[in-house]
Structure formats: structure tokens, C-alpha cells
Amino acid sequence: MDTTGFGVAIMAAGKGTRLKSKRPKVLHEIGGRALLLHVIAAAKAVVPAAQIYCIIGHESDRVQSAVEHTGVQFVLQAEQRGTGHALQMVKAWFALSGVQPPQHLLVLSGDVPLIKPETIAAICDFHLRERAAMTILTAVPANPTGYGRVLRLAEDSPEVTAIVEQKSLQPHQYNAREINSGIYCFETEALFSKLDNLSTNNAHAEYYLTDVAAMLVADGKRVVATPADSVDEVLGANTIAEMMHLDAAMRLDTAKRLMASGVTIFRPETCVIDAEVTVGPDTVIEPYVQLLGATRIGSDSRIRSYSVIQRSTLGDGVTVRNGCILDDATVADNAILGPYAHLRPESRIGESAHIGNFVETKKVTIGKGSKANHLNYLGDAVIGAGVNIGAGAITCNYDGVHKHQTTIQDNVFVGSDSTLVAPITIETGSYIAAGSCITEDVPEGALALGRSRQATKPGWVAARKAIQKK
Ligand code: UD1
Ligand code: CA
């Protein structure tokens, strides 16, 4: 649709008293992303960022720095005196900046985060077709308690007479079930002409934006309502419990999107998958998996139960066995991880490599086909292709002050329980004997032993028992 004449105001200045949290409401996260970022993303799908006016107030610096990268404009509402007051600040911003206000203003709530771009486009479209001064997006939820109610002229009429807040409902209005979503389209001039007449003569002693509806009707202007396709999309998040309800709805949506693109997710309701995660077709995700942040997984992979993968990129055909933890890791095609591998930031695992049971990696590059299968710590290391790291072998990367680099070239065999004291280079094709403490570089093709010799005393046990009996 054509939204050239539209600007978007997002109300995000409130504290969120009902959350009982130090964090501003609009920075609480659902689906792994702040409420406000969800709303901005939906708005940006319809108008350019420069036409989005974000009203901030409570902890405005913190809110602004969290969403600044989106390129939206900011309008300060230093004191939060209600949703009507928030829009008064927008009007003042235009007057002060000299910027021409848009012909139509879409108003979104920073705490109604599941709103979809299609619904935003639909309400703008309806608004234009109805030639309305104000259009209200509504819904009829099972329990309307807490929401403002939209009163229509007649049941089958699009025309609205007023919005009544929960606390102002008269007994004969108690059964009004159609709620105000807090999302509206205004003819900007009509809205701005009423804002200065709002009063705080109500239960919350606030300027209610919702009062504008009846004021416009009194002027003979057209105020209409249109219901959203789904109730869930317009639910607000005023308490932590409501927020978690929206979080679950959003994650289920993400899981459905992935399943629709060919991903198998067993028991999706047990998985925690962030909104920006992408997964290729024919990948299987087992129950109780978490995929967080900007994680990308290729196709034909399998993520087994209880793995937590964050900010990581996995190729095709990767197997992540049970209980792995990955943070900022890159895993190439056909690699096998776990069970219980811990890949810490900047772990770069090569094609077909194996990182096995209880292995911890950090800032490490591991080449094609290399294996570290049992109980290793590999940190600050560059490891080539075809390397075998025996059970329990570790890099000693830290001297108490500085971190040092370990280099292990192609086809090296590191025997079990070796300690490689960095900085150190183990050259191509060399062997490290099991149990060695290696402190000097090992040249190509050499065998390095760094352990004390074994002493064996035949008959020692019997001799000792004989002494103990005396
Ligand atoms: C509001 C509506 C109610 C509607 C509901 C839908 C009013 C008076 N009521 O109630 O009819 O059913 O939303 O979710 O508008 N905000 C500011 N500045 C302020 C106050 C609020 O920017 O001074 C922001 C908040 O950060 C929030 C949004 O406006 O994102 C809505 O405010 P909130 O206090 O949550 O309104 P509700 O009581 O939910
Ligand atoms: Ca609200």
C-alpha cells in the first residue's frame, strides 16, 4: 500500500510500574529482543525510519541507546503524564523542528509488540478508505479486563462513539468486550486540534489519548474501528506474566516459521528459539534446545536435546550432541560436537572436525578433520587439519599475566594427558608422547617426550605386606 503521507509515532516513555522492575518496560525482552525493537521493526516494514517518531521519557538515555541503531527519530516526554500528553510532545516537536507533520499519523504502543506489518498496512488502508479522522485497531479477547473498551454506534457499524478506560466503565458498559489495542491511525490535523483540550479529570489523573475519540465525534468527525485478525497480535505487556505469555506466543510463531521452511522441531513448546534465528531445511531440532541471538544453522544438521546455542553459525550436516553450549562459535559442515562440549567465543571449528565429550574451546581455529574427543582445554590456539588431540591434553595458554598462542600444524598427534605450555609451535606431522609436558617447539616429523621415566619394582607389594604384618 502507499504510505507516503504517513508518519508513525511509537509511545515508549512509560515506566511500566506494573512490572515492578528496574528496567524500563519497553526494554524488557520477548523472543530475545526488546519490546520496542519489535515495534520499530514492524513500523519500518511500512514507513522509512526517518518518519518514525519514538516517544521516550522514563530512562530515556538507556532506551535511546538501545534502539538508536534503527535510525528512528526521538521525541522526549520528560514527564510522563499519559498517552495524550505523549502525543502533545509529538505536536510540539513538529512545531519546534519546523518539520512538516505527515498528513496521517499512525500511533503504536511500545508495549504491544506482536503487531505485524500486514496489520499495520491494513489499518492504514482501512483508515484511508473510510476517510476517517481516527481509526482504532480493536480485538475481542476472552478476558477484556484492564483494557479500554471501544463503544460502537451500532453493533454492525464501523463508527465509534467513545473509548472508555476500564476504571471509568459505567455498570451498563461492563459487558463491552471490544478492546482498544492502543494502535490508531489519525488524520494528523484532526488529532493535533484536540490534544490541547484534553484534561486529567479521570481515575489516573492523566491525559488520555483515548478521550480524543469522543471529542472528534462531538465535532462531527468520523471515528471508526477495525478488528485485528488475531487477538494475540494486539495483546499488551503490562506485567511479567503477560510478557511471558507474549514471549511464548512469539517463540511458537518462530518455530512455526522454521517448520514451514522444512525444519523438524520435536516438541517446539519446549524449545527457546529467538526471533532472528535462521535454520536450513531438513535440520532436526530435538526437545529442550535453545537457539539464541543471531544464530544461523545450515541444512541437514541435528541439534540434540539440552544444547544451548547462542550467536553462532553452523554449517550443513553438523551434529550437535546432547548438552553442548556454544557462544559466538563457527562450526563448518559435517562437524560433530559433544556430548557436553563447551565452545566459548571465537571458536572456529573446521569441516568434519570432532569436538567431543567435556571439551572446552576458546579463541581457537581447528582445521578440517581434526579431532579432540575427550576432556580437552584448547584456548588461544591455531590447530591445523588432520590433527589428533588425545584425551585430557590441554593448552597452557595463561601465565598468570598474559595469554600466549599455541600453534599445532597439520597431522600432528598429541598423546593423551599432554600439557602444551604456550607460546609453542608443534610442527607438521610430529608426535607428542602421552603424558608429556611440552615447553619447547617441536620440529616437523619429530617425536617429543616430556615426562620422567617409569621405575618398576618387581615384588614390591608382597614385600610391603610382609613388613606391615610384623
Ligand atoms: C492503554 C489505553 C487503553 C488500551 C491499552 C492497550 C490509554 C489511556 N489507554 O492503556 O485504552 O486498551 O493501552 O494496550 O491510552 N506511555 C507514554 N507516555 C505516558 C504514558 C504511557 O509514552 O505518559 C506509553 C507507555 O510506555 C506504553 C503506552 O504508552 O508503551 C501505553 O501506556 P500504558 O500505561 O501501558 O497504557 P494502558 O494502561 O495499557
Ligand atoms: Ca499497556
Side-chain angles (χ1 to χ4, degrees):
M1 74 156 290
D2 182 18
T3 49
T4 2
F6 279 84
V8 180
I10 303 176
M11 302 183 289
K15 177 164 184 253
T17 313
R18 288 165 278 183
L19 287 177
K20 311 214 167 40
S21 159
K22 288 187 290 296
R23 205 196 305 188
K25 169 155 70 177
V26 294
L27 294 189
H28 275 256
E29 291 181 358
I30 67 163
R33 195 156 66 150
L35 295 184
L36 184 53
L37 285 173
H38 288 292
V39 179
I40 291 175
K44 273 174 88 168
V46 186
V47 300
Q51 282 157 245
I52 299 173
Y53 307 93
C54 198
I55 308 159
I56 55 173
H58 177 71
E59 294 226 41
S60 57
D61 289 347
R62 197 168 158 193
V63 176
Q64 181 165 345
S65 59
V67 306
E68 215 153 32
H69 63 277
T70 60
V72 298
Q73 312 267 2
F74 294 97
V75 173
L76 184 68
Q77 184 194 14
E79 261 186 284
Q80 295 84 55
R81 304 173 67 193
T83 48
H85 183 247
L87 270 297
Q88 284 174 5
M89 297 303 112
V90 174
K91 182 183 173 186
W93 185 93
F94 279 110
L96 231 112
S97 66
V99 175
Q100 182 70 28
Q103 197 187 346
H104 303 280
L105 191 63
L106 173 77
V107 176
L108 303 178
S109 286
D111 67 344
V112 182
L114 299 186
I115 188 70
K116 293 205 175 89
E118 303 88 272
T119 309
I120 293 180
I123 182 187
C124 292
D125 221 34
F126 187 83
H127 176 73
L128 293 178
R129 265 188 286 125
E130 287 287 323
R131 296 178 182 282
M134 175 179 186
T135 302
I136 306 154
L137 185 67
T138 67
V140 184
N143 178 6
T145 311
Y147 290 94
R149 304 310 149 72
V150 175
L151 306 180
R152 295 192 186 234
L153 195 61
E155 210 174 304
D156 53 356
S157 162
E159 281 188 66
V160 167
T161 54
I163 304 173
V164 184
E165 289 307 295
Q166 167 82 33
K167 285 201 174 163
S168 310
L169 286 174
Q170 301 299 308
H172 72 278
Q173 295 165 334
Y174 285 168
N175 57 2
R177 307 253 327 274
E178 188 171 14
I179 65 149
N180 166 27
S181 68
I183 291 170
Y184 324 84
C185 250
F186 289 98
E187 199 177 88
T188 313
E189 215 179 273
L191 168 67
F192 284 3
S193 74
K194 291 298 162 208
L195 288 175
D196 298 334
N197 305 340
L198 290 174
S199 86
T200 58
N201 183 18
N202 54 50
H204 291 106
E206 284 186 348
Y207 295 101
Y208 287 169
L209 179 59
T210 46
D211 285 349
V212 169
M215 292 162 86
L216 288 171
V217 171
D219 263 11
K221 295 260 165 60
R222 190 168 168 80
V223 177
V224 297
T226 178
D229 280 341
S230 100
V231 173
D232 268 356
E233 210 185 319
V234 298
L235 292 182
N238 297 309
T239 63
I240 301 269
E242 284 175 1
M243 197 98 69
M244 293 306 97
H245 178 75
L246 300 190
D247 178 77
M250 167 154 281
R251 291 188 189 283
L252 209 55
D253 243 32
T254 306
K256 280 183 187 158
R257 164 172 65 77
L258 293 177
M259 289 191 282
S261 68
V263 181
T264 298
I265 307 178
F266 288 105
R267 304 278 310 277
E269 74 283 6
T270 67
C271 294
V272 176
I273 304 177
D274 280 357
E276 48 189 320
V277 169
T278 63
V279 183
D282 292 311
T283 285
V284 176
I285 296 169
E286 294 188 0
Y288 298 99
V289 161
Q290 299 194 28
L291 304 176
L292 308 174
T295 288
R296 316 241 164 288
I297 298 176
S299 52
D300 300 296
S301 292
R302 186 169 193 111
I303 316 297
R304 309 212 58 179
S305 293
Y306 309 110
S307 289
V308 179
I309 304 179
Q310 170 161 285
R311 301 185 299 163
S312 295
T313 303
L314 281 58
D316 300 334
V318 171
T319 303
V320 178
R321 294 187 175 132
N322 301 64
C324 290
I325 298 177
L326 280 67
D327 183 9
D328 180 22
T330 308
V331 182
D333 297 349
N334 302 314
I336 300 177
L337 309 180
Y340 307 108
H342 184 188
L343 275 54
R344 292 169 49 204
E346 295 181 49
S347 293
R348 310 285 172 246
I349 312 302
E351 203 182 315
S352 304
H354 294 195
I355 303 297
N357 304 256
F358 302 102
V359 172
E360 175 180 352
T361 66
K362 187 217 76 174
K363 235 185 194 170
V364 67
T365 305
I366 294 176
K368 185 171 174 179
S370 290
K371 293 176 184 168
N373 268 330
H374 325 271
L375 303 158
N376 305 109
Y377 171 64
L378 304 170
D380 298 299
V382 175
I383 299 172
V387 170
N388 191 87
I389 311 269
I394 62 160
T395 54
C396 303
N397 61 325
Y398 188 48
D399 62 12
V401 183
H402 297 108
K403 300 278 170 72
H404 301 283
Q405 182 81 15
T406 298
T407 304
I408 303 175
Q409 296 178 350
D410 295 347
N411 303 317
V412 164
F413 179 92
V414 178
S416 293
D417 203 27
S418 296
T419 54
L420 310 175
V421 182
I424 200 154
T425 299
I426 319 284
E427 287 186 11
T428 311
S430 57
Y431 261 63
I432 308 290
S436 293
C437 177
I438 300 297
T439 56
E440 289 164 16
D441 290 352
V442 178
E444 184 171 340
L447 166 70
L449 292 111
R451 65 189 188 209
S452 51
R453 285 201 171 275
Q454 180 174 334
T456 309
K457 304 191 176 181
W460 181 88
V461 175
R464 191 169 78 130
K465 277 189 183 150
I467 293 167
Q468 283 168 336
K469 271 188 189 155
K470 281 185 186 164

